[in-house]
Amino acid sequence: MTSILREKAGEEVPLIAGMEGPASLASRLLGTYNFLTWIIRRPETVRECLKVTGSICSEYAGILSDAGADAVCIVDGIAGPDMLDPRQFDSLIKPKYERFCRSGKGIKLIHVCGNSTPILEILSKCGFQGISIEEKVTDLRAAKKLVGRKTSLIGNLSSSGIILNGTCEEIKEEAQKCLRDGIDILAPGCGIAPKTPTRNIKALVEARDEYYHLNYASGGHGPFRFAQED
Ligand SMILES: [Zn+2]
């Protein structure tokens, strides 16, 4: 599928392939209840399982890159602070993310559902080049400070709210606010709802272009490039 999309998208459009992360994969293999309770009662079992799922994720990301994906984005909802204590995240999940980011070629991104503010700094230190956040991260200026200059902040208009139900004007206004407050790459905050009108997605692209022309057209790079290494 990735190679078909690569062909259809052409070279100008970045192709970002999504996949489950090591924690979500482990929770599916063990069962969500077991995963969350064993983290406390049987951490060694979870650790062993994460070793396996971590390797599988790296291997699969390599396959997606070889098929033409410019970036691979892991979605690891169960590892977010809404589900997991950030201290357990630090000891169990963080090493897996570090290894994942070092593996293979291509850009590595992560999407975290809910309010990911408590783990944004750790995630940026794991080596992700971009972190996709939901609208539940409300203080974007603080979020951008936490991830630093080297990590792009991606998001964060509500997929189930304004992008699904808003007018084009409302979407553009909200998009401008996101870009002003620290979003580097404008995007929906989570998966796009199936009934979202195409014009609303187009409004998002137009808002990005308008912001770019207003702020960057006379030089420098636009707000939708990945942050560069120093
Ligand atoms: Zn989400």
Side-chain angles (χ1 to χ4, degrees):
M1 180 61 87
T2 303
S3 51
I4 296 169
L5 286 172
R6 174 78 281 165
E7 240 181 87
K8 292 197 179 213
E11 292 304 312
E12 286 294 301
V13 179
L15 192 62
I16 301 165
M19 58 182 277
E20 294 220 309
S24 288
L25 195 54
S27 79
R28 291 197 195 279
L29 292 171
L30 301 174
T32 306
Y33 178 80
N34 289 339
F35 179 80
L36 289 172
T37 49
W38 289 358
I39 274 184
I40 297 159
R41 293 192 190 140
R42 292 169 58 182
E44 277 318 307
T45 308
V46 176
R47 206 179 290 277
E48 282 303 306
C49 187
L50 284 168
K51 246 188 226 170
V52 177
T53 57
S55 308
I56 290 168
C57 286
S58 297
E59 203 173 314
Y60 186 53
I63 294 168
L64 292 170
S65 292
D66 289 342
D70 297 295
V72 174
C73 182
I74 60 169
V75 182
D76 226 7
I78 200 143
D82 285 357
M83 297 293 278
L84 202 65
D85 184 330
R87 282 172 301 181
Q88 281 149 348
F89 173 90
D90 221 15
S91 72
L92 282 169
I93 313 293
K94 187 179 163 229
K96 300 292 163 253
Y97 285 175
E98 287 170 333
R99 195 160 301 158
F100 176 78
C101 289
R102 283 197 302 267
S103 70
K105 53 180 181 162
I107 293 166
K108 305 287 196 317
L109 311 174
I110 185 164
H111 171 74
V112 188
C113 290
N115 181 6
S116 51
T117 308
I119 57 167
L120 283 178
E121 193 174 3
I122 305 175
L123 287 177
S124 71
K125 286 183 178 154
C126 288
F128 289 105
Q129 281 149 295
I131 303 171
S132 159
I133 56 170
E134 279 196 359
E135 70 280 4
K136 283 176 188 157
V137 178
T138 48
D139 190 343
L140 289 179
R141 286 176 198 271
K144 183 59 197 165
K145 256 190 204 157
L146 287 171
V147 303
R149 281 195 327 112
K150 288 185 185 174
T151 310
S152 297
L153 209 53
I154 306 167
N156 74 334
L157 280 85
S158 169
S159 308
S160 56
I162 196 161
I163 295 185
L164 176 64
N165 299 313
T167 64
C168 292
E169 285 65 37
E170 285 167 343
I171 290 167
K172 282 189 180 185
E173 207 174 298
E174 181 70 18
Q176 298 284 344
K177 191 177 170 297
C178 288
L179 289 166
R180 265 198 317 272
D181 288 353
I183 285 291
D184 298 297
I185 300 173
L186 193 62
C190 201
I192 297 169
K195 288 188 176 166
T196 302
T198 309
R199 65 173 182 277
N200 287 9
I201 303 295
K202 285 184 174 169
L204 205 58
V205 179
E206 282 164 24
R208 176 207 64 180
D209 290 347
E210 284 164 18
Y211 184 85
Y212 173 77
H213 287 300
L214 212 64
N215 294 281
Y216 296 89
S218 55
H221 67 74
F224 41 88
R225 298 241 177 117
F226 284 103
Q228 301 292 313
E229 292 285 321
D230 282 339

